[in-house]
PDB file of all heavy atoms in Angstrom:
ATOM      1  N   PRO A  13      -0.059  13.522   3.341  1.00  0.00           N
ATOM      2  CA  PRO A  13       0.172  14.827   2.700  1.00  0.00           C
ATOM      3  C   PRO A  13       1.622  15.098   2.294  1.00  0.00           C
ATOM      4  O   PRO A  13       1.881  15.709   1.273  1.00  0.00           O
ATOM      5  CB  PRO A  13      -0.299  15.838   3.749  1.00  0.00           C
ATOM      6  CG  PRO A  13      -1.288  15.082   4.569  1.00  0.00           C
ATOM      7  CD  PRO A  13      -0.799  13.654   4.593  1.00  0.00           C
ATOM      8  N   GLY A  14       2.591  14.624   3.051  1.00  0.00           N
ATOM      9  CA  GLY A  14       3.994  14.889   2.734  1.00  0.00           C
ATOM     10  C   GLY A  14       4.645  13.843   1.844  1.00  0.00           C
ATOM     11  O   GLY A  14       5.815  13.948   1.507  1.00  0.00           O
ATOM     12  N   ALA A  15       3.883  12.839   1.444  1.00  0.00           N
ATOM     13  CA  ALA A  15       4.446  11.741   0.664  1.00  0.00           C
ATOM     14  C   ALA A  15       4.797  12.178  -0.747  1.00  0.00           C
ATOM     15  O   ALA A  15       4.142  13.042  -1.329  1.00  0.00           O
ATOM     16  CB  ALA A  15       3.456  10.579   0.600  1.00  0.00           C
ATOM     17  N   ASP A  16       5.824  11.554  -1.272  1.00  0.00           N
ATOM     18  CA  ASP A  16       6.228  11.785  -2.667  1.00  0.00           C
ATOM     19  C   ASP A  16       5.093  11.307  -3.568  1.00  0.00           C
ATOM     20  O   ASP A  16       4.637  10.166  -3.460  1.00  0.00           O
ATOM     21  CB  ASP A  16       7.504  10.988  -2.951  1.00  0.00           C
ATOM     22  CG  ASP A  16       8.101  11.251  -4.315  1.00  0.00           C
ATOM     23  OD1 ASP A  16       7.332  11.422  -5.282  1.00  0.00           O
ATOM     24  OD2 ASP A  16       9.332  11.252  -4.415  1.00  0.00           O
ATOM     25  N   LYS A  17       4.634  12.143  -4.447  1.00  0.00           N
ATOM     26  CA  LYS A  17       3.505  11.799  -5.319  1.00  0.00           C
ATOM     27  C   LYS A  17       3.928  10.955  -6.521  1.00  0.00           C
ATOM     28  O   LYS A  17       3.128  10.221  -7.077  1.00  0.00           O
ATOM     29  CB  LYS A  17       2.788  13.062  -5.810  1.00  0.00           C
ATOM     30  CG  LYS A  17       2.252  13.948  -4.706  1.00  0.00           C
ATOM     31  CD  LYS A  17       1.224  13.232  -3.863  1.00  0.00           C
ATOM     32  CE  LYS A  17       0.696  14.150  -2.795  1.00  0.00           C
ATOM     33  NZ  LYS A  17       0.219  13.468  -1.621  1.00  0.00           N
ATOM     34  N   VAL A  18       5.181  11.044  -6.924  1.00  0.00           N
ATOM     35  CA  VAL A  18       5.667  10.310  -8.091  1.00  0.00           C
ATOM     36  C   VAL A  18       6.188   8.928  -7.702  1.00  0.00           C
ATOM     37  O   VAL A  18       5.913   7.939  -8.378  1.00  0.00           O
ATOM     38  CB  VAL A  18       6.776  11.109  -8.822  1.00  0.00           C
ATOM     39  CG1 VAL A  18       7.360  10.314  -9.973  1.00  0.00           C
ATOM     40  CG2 VAL A  18       6.222  12.439  -9.303  1.00  0.00           C
ATOM     41  N   ASN A  19       6.939   8.854  -6.615  1.00  0.00           N
ATOM     42  CA  ASN A  19       7.562   7.603  -6.193  1.00  0.00           C
ATOM     43  C   ASN A  19       7.375   7.434  -4.679  1.00  0.00           C
ATOM     44  O   ASN A  19       8.336   7.493  -3.917  1.00  0.00           O
ATOM     45  CB  ASN A  19       9.038   7.616  -6.572  1.00  0.00           C
ATOM     46  CG  ASN A  19       9.694   6.266  -6.399  1.00  0.00           C
ATOM     47  OD1 ASN A  19       9.042   5.237  -6.307  1.00  0.00           O
ATOM     48  ND2 ASN A  19      11.012   6.270  -6.349  1.00  0.00           N
ATOM     49  N   PRO A  20       6.128   7.211  -4.251  1.00  0.00           N
ATOM     50  CA  PRO A  20       5.862   7.157  -2.809  1.00  0.00           C
ATOM     51  C   PRO A  20       6.446   5.929  -2.135  1.00  0.00           C
ATOM     52  O   PRO A  20       6.684   4.898  -2.760  1.00  0.00           O
ATOM     53  CB  PRO A  20       4.331   7.131  -2.737  1.00  0.00           C
ATOM     54  CG  PRO A  20       3.905   6.538  -4.028  1.00  0.00           C
ATOM     55  CD  PRO A  20       4.932   6.990  -5.039  1.00  0.00           C
ATOM     56  N   ASN A  21       6.648   6.069  -0.856  1.00  0.00           N
ATOM     57  CA  ASN A  21       7.096   4.996   0.006  1.00  0.00           C
ATOM     58  C   ASN A  21       5.910   4.083   0.309  1.00  0.00           C
ATOM     59  O   ASN A  21       4.804   4.325  -0.171  1.00  0.00           O
ATOM     60  CB  ASN A  21       7.612   5.628   1.306  1.00  0.00           C
ATOM     61  CG  ASN A  21       8.656   4.808   1.991  1.00  0.00           C
ATOM     62  OD1 ASN A  21       8.590   3.589   1.997  1.00  0.00           O
ATOM     63  ND2 ASN A  21       9.621   5.488   2.583  1.00  0.00           N
ATOM     64  N   LEU A  22       6.118   3.051   1.105  1.00  0.00           N
ATOM     65  CA  LEU A  22       5.004   2.243   1.588  1.00  0.00           C
ATOM     66  C   LEU A  22       4.386   2.906   2.819  1.00  0.00           C
ATOM     67  O   LEU A  22       5.081   3.542   3.611  1.00  0.00           O
ATOM     68  CB  LEU A  22       5.489   0.850   2.008  1.00  0.00           C
ATOM     69  CG  LEU A  22       5.804  -0.141   0.911  1.00  0.00           C
ATOM     70  CD1 LEU A  22       6.361  -1.429   1.519  1.00  0.00           C
ATOM     71  CD2 LEU A  22       4.588  -0.444   0.077  1.00  0.00           C
ATOM     72  N   SER A  23       3.106   2.717   2.967  1.00  0.00           N
ATOM     73  CA  SER A  23       2.440   3.166   4.187  1.00  0.00           C
ATOM     74  C   SER A  23       2.819   2.193   5.300  1.00  0.00           C
ATOM     75  O   SER A  23       3.419   1.140   5.056  1.00  0.00           O
ATOM     76  CB  SER A  23       0.924   3.156   3.990  1.00  0.00           C
ATOM     77  OG  SER A  23       0.474   1.831   3.798  1.00  0.00           O
ATOM     78  N   ASP A  24       2.445   2.518   6.543  1.00  0.00           N
ATOM     79  CA  ASP A  24       2.699   1.591   7.655  1.00  0.00           C
ATOM     80  C   ASP A  24       2.019   0.250   7.383  1.00  0.00           C
ATOM     81  O   ASP A  24       2.608  -0.805   7.612  1.00  0.00           O
ATOM     82  CB  ASP A  24       2.197   2.177   8.972  1.00  0.00           C
ATOM     83  CG  ASP A  24       3.036   3.358   9.446  1.00  0.00           C
ATOM     84  OD1 ASP A  24       4.192   3.493   8.990  1.00  0.00           O
ATOM     85  OD2 ASP A  24       2.536   4.144  10.277  1.00  0.00           O
ATOM     86  N   ALA A  25       0.798   0.291   6.873  1.00  0.00           N
ATOM     87  CA  ALA A  25       0.070  -0.949   6.554  1.00  0.00           C
ATOM     88  C   ALA A  25       0.800  -1.723   5.458  1.00  0.00           C
ATOM     89  O   ALA A  25       0.881  -2.954   5.504  1.00  0.00           O
ATOM     90  CB  ALA A  25      -1.360  -0.629   6.125  1.00  0.00           C
ATOM     91  N   GLY A  26       1.341  -1.022   4.484  1.00  0.00           N
ATOM     92  CA  GLY A  26       2.085  -1.660   3.410  1.00  0.00           C
ATOM     93  C   GLY A  26       3.350  -2.335   3.911  1.00  0.00           C
ATOM     94  O   GLY A  26       3.707  -3.432   3.478  1.00  0.00           O
ATOM     95  N   ARG A  27       4.037  -1.698   4.847  1.00  0.00           N
ATOM     96  CA  ARG A  27       5.245  -2.306   5.434  1.00  0.00           C
ATOM     97  C   ARG A  27       4.897  -3.577   6.208  1.00  0.00           C
ATOM     98  O   ARG A  27       5.610  -4.573   6.140  1.00  0.00           O
ATOM     99  CB  ARG A  27       5.970  -1.296   6.332  1.00  0.00           C
ATOM    100  CG  ARG A  27       6.796  -0.298   5.531  1.00  0.00           C
ATOM    101  CD  ARG A  27       7.695   0.535   6.437  1.00  0.00           C
ATOM    102  NE  ARG A  27       6.953   1.519   7.201  1.00  0.00           N
ATOM    103  CZ  ARG A  27       6.560   2.690   6.718  1.00  0.00           C
ATOM    104  NH1 ARG A  27       6.835   3.014   5.477  1.00  0.00           N
ATOM    105  NH2 ARG A  27       5.896   3.534   7.464  1.00  0.00           N
ATOM    106  N   GLU A  28       3.786  -3.545   6.918  1.00  0.00           N
ATOM    107  CA  GLU A  28       3.351  -4.739   7.655  1.00  0.00           C
ATOM    108  C   GLU A  28       2.990  -5.862   6.688  1.00  0.00           C
ATOM    109  O   GLU A  28       3.325  -7.021   6.921  1.00  0.00           O
ATOM    110  CB  GLU A  28       2.167  -4.409   8.569  1.00  0.00           C
ATOM    111  CG  GLU A  28       2.547  -3.604   9.785  1.00  0.00           C
ATOM    112  CD  GLU A  28       3.624  -4.284  10.618  1.00  0.00           C
ATOM    113  OE1 GLU A  28       3.508  -5.503  10.907  1.00  0.00           O
ATOM    114  OE2 GLU A  28       4.608  -3.605  10.982  1.00  0.00           O
ATOM    115  N   ARG A  29       2.306  -5.530   5.600  1.00  0.00           N
ATOM    116  CA  ARG A  29       1.965  -6.544   4.593  1.00  0.00           C
ATOM    117  C   ARG A  29       3.220  -7.136   3.962  1.00  0.00           C
ATOM    118  O   ARG A  29       3.283  -8.322   3.685  1.00  0.00           O
ATOM    119  CB  ARG A  29       1.080  -5.939   3.505  1.00  0.00           C
ATOM    120  CG  ARG A  29      -0.347  -6.142   3.805  1.00  0.00           C
ATOM    121  CD  ARG A  29      -1.216  -5.841   2.595  1.00  0.00           C
ATOM    122  NE  ARG A  29      -2.389  -5.217   3.147  1.00  0.00           N
ATOM    123  CZ  ARG A  29      -2.763  -3.967   2.961  1.00  0.00           C
ATOM    124  NH1 ARG A  29      -2.088  -3.197   2.164  1.00  0.00           N
ATOM    125  NH2 ARG A  29      -3.825  -3.496   3.538  1.00  0.00           N
ATOM    126  N   ALA A  30       4.206  -6.297   3.718  1.00  0.00           N
ATOM    127  CA  ALA A  30       5.465  -6.772   3.131  1.00  0.00           C
ATOM    128  C   ALA A  30       6.138  -7.775   4.065  1.00  0.00           C
ATOM    129  O   ALA A  30       6.681  -8.786   3.613  1.00  0.00           O
ATOM    130  CB  ALA A  30       6.391  -5.593   2.840  1.00  0.00           C
ATOM    131  N   LYS A  31       6.087  -7.533   5.366  1.00  0.00           N
ATOM    132  CA  LYS A  31       6.657  -8.478   6.333  1.00  0.00           C
ATOM    133  C   LYS A  31       5.890  -9.794   6.322  1.00  0.00           C
ATOM    134  O   LYS A  31       6.477 -10.870   6.394  1.00  0.00           O
ATOM    135  CB  LYS A  31       6.631  -7.879   7.739  1.00  0.00           C
ATOM    136  CG  LYS A  31       7.606  -6.748   7.941  1.00  0.00           C
ATOM    137  CD  LYS A  31       7.463  -6.177   9.335  1.00  0.00           C
ATOM    138  CE  LYS A  31       8.217  -4.878   9.485  1.00  0.00           C
ATOM    139  NZ  LYS A  31       7.946  -4.243  10.784  1.00  0.00           N
ATOM    140  N   ARG A  32       4.565  -9.723   6.232  1.00  0.00           N
ATOM    141  CA  ARG A  32       3.742 -10.943   6.208  1.00  0.00           C
ATOM    142  C   ARG A  32       3.942 -11.733   4.914  1.00  0.00           C
ATOM    143  O   ARG A  32       3.753 -12.950   4.890  1.00  0.00           O
ATOM    144  CB  ARG A  32       2.271 -10.590   6.396  1.00  0.00           C
ATOM    145  CG  ARG A  32       1.940 -10.145   7.812  1.00  0.00           C
ATOM    146  CD  ARG A  32       0.453 -10.133   8.096  1.00  0.00           C
ATOM    147  NE  ARG A  32      -0.341  -9.426   7.126  1.00  0.00           N
ATOM    148  CZ  ARG A  32      -0.722  -8.156   7.208  1.00  0.00           C
ATOM    149  NH1 ARG A  32      -0.344  -7.417   8.234  1.00  0.00           N
ATOM    150  NH2 ARG A  32      -1.477  -7.609   6.285  1.00  0.00           N
ATOM    151  N   LEU A  33       4.338 -11.049   3.854  1.00  0.00           N
ATOM    152  CA  LEU A  33       4.560 -11.709   2.571  1.00  0.00           C
ATOM    153  C   LEU A  33       5.632 -12.797   2.673  1.00  0.00           C
ATOM    154  O   LEU A  33       5.578 -13.809   1.985  1.00  0.00           O
ATOM    155  CB  LEU A  33       4.944 -10.668   1.512  1.00  0.00           C
ATOM    156  CG  LEU A  33       5.032 -11.118   0.068  1.00  0.00           C
ATOM    157  CD1 LEU A  33       3.702 -11.689  -0.413  1.00  0.00           C
ATOM    158  CD2 LEU A  33       5.463  -9.946  -0.815  1.00  0.00           C
ATOM    159  N   VAL A  34       6.581 -12.602   3.562  1.00  0.00           N
ATOM    160  CA  VAL A  34       7.638 -13.603   3.776  1.00  0.00           C
ATOM    161  C   VAL A  34       7.007 -14.952   4.122  1.00  0.00           C
ATOM    162  O   VAL A  34       7.350 -15.982   3.530  1.00  0.00           O
ATOM    163  CB  VAL A  34       8.609 -13.157   4.895  1.00  0.00           C
ATOM    164  CG1 VAL A  34       9.580 -14.277   5.256  1.00  0.00           C
ATOM    165  CG2 VAL A  34       9.359 -11.904   4.483  1.00  0.00           C
ATOM    166  N   ASP A  35       6.057 -14.954   5.060  1.00  0.00           N
ATOM    167  CA  ASP A  35       5.413 -16.208   5.474  1.00  0.00           C
ATOM    168  C   ASP A  35       4.506 -16.756   4.385  1.00  0.00           C
ATOM    169  O   ASP A  35       4.457 -17.962   4.175  1.00  0.00           O
ATOM    170  CB  ASP A  35       4.614 -15.996   6.759  1.00  0.00           C
ATOM    171  CG  ASP A  35       5.521 -15.740   7.951  1.00  0.00           C
ATOM    172  OD1 ASP A  35       6.647 -16.284   7.967  1.00  0.00           O
ATOM    173  OD2 ASP A  35       5.118 -14.989   8.852  1.00  0.00           O
ATOM    174  N   VAL A  36       3.805 -15.886   3.690  1.00  0.00           N
ATOM    175  CA  VAL A  36       2.901 -16.320   2.622  1.00  0.00           C
ATOM    176  C   VAL A  36       3.669 -17.054   1.526  1.00  0.00           C
ATOM    177  O   VAL A  36       3.191 -18.050   0.981  1.00  0.00           O
ATOM    178  CB  VAL A  36       2.136 -15.108   2.037  1.00  0.00           C
ATOM    179  CG1 VAL A  36       1.378 -15.490   0.782  1.00  0.00           C
ATOM    180  CG2 VAL A  36       1.200 -14.506   3.077  1.00  0.00           C
TER     181      VAL A  36
END
Side-chain angles (χ1 to χ4, degrees):
D16 186 323
K17 302 299 181 207
V18 176
N19 190 18
N21 207 323
L22 284 176
S23 65
D24 290 340
R27 281 190 287 279
E28 287 304 313
R29 266 193 217 114
K31 289 177 191 173
R32 288 195 309 266
L33 188 59
V34 172
D35 291 328
V36 170

